[in-house]
Amino acid sequence: MDQGSFTDVAKKALEFRNTYYKLLDSPDRSKVLNLYAPGIANLCEWNGHRLDSPAAVQEYVNSLPATHHQIDAVDAQPLPGNDKADSFIMTIHGVVTYDDEHKREFYQRMVIRRIDNLFYIVNDYYRWLSEI
């Protein structure tokens, strides 16, 4: 894979990251659902909660108190056999604040794939690391 593919993945990952956390931290989280690939089983594990459909992900994130994510580090790498940067793995580390009081470090890993010219999450793993 050439350097241009890595650059493309980095750009797509940052754009996707910005969109995802903007929607997740908004008062109306209903559009987060649009970022998860439809019809994927074992889609997400959110801090020990297995969420096996986009609707289950949506229900869970809607149940969370208000959030604010501060991203400290992002890494994105193209997946093997991926000549056009159509799929990549992205890891994120940061701090999430719930209800403007409870802060926790978190780690998130997403597998992103282009489906019908749009990028979707096909696997998502979110874990709290520690309270701050």
Side-chain angles (χ1 to χ4, degrees), residues 50-119:
R50 184 177 166 186
L51 308 168
D52 57 6
S53 71
V57 172
Q58 187 69 55
E59 183 178 337
Y60 186 77
V61 299
N62 283 344
S63 73
L64 295 172
T67 59
H68 173 74
H69 287 80
Q70 173 191 320
I71 308 304
D72 295 329
V74 176
D75 181 54
Q77 299 294 321
L79 292 172
N82 181 21
D83 295 332
K84 296 180 182 174
D86 286 339
S87 60
F88 56 92
I89 187 166
M90 181 169 53
T91 56
I92 302 103
H93 178 269
V95 175
V96 58
T97 305
Y98 292 95
D99 279 338
D100 294 326
E101 339 182 318
H102 304 290
K103 292 185 178 190
R104 294 186 176 184
E105 280 187 281
F106 77 94
Y107 165 86
Q108 189 166 15
R109 181 202 67 231
M110 296 181 196
V111 176
I112 313 294
R113 182 174 299 148
R114 184 192 312 254
I115 301 171
D116 297 330
N117 287 328
L118 296 173
F119 284 95

Side-chain angles (χ1 to χ4, degrees), residues 5-25:
S5 295
F6 285 95
T7 301
D8 288 346
V9 164
K11 287 178 185 176
K12 290 171 186 174
L14 288 175
E15 182 179 309
F16 195 91
R17 179 209 66 181
N18 291 341
T19 300
Y20 178 83
Y21 289 105
K22 180 180 178 183
L23 294 174
L24 187 60
D25 289 342

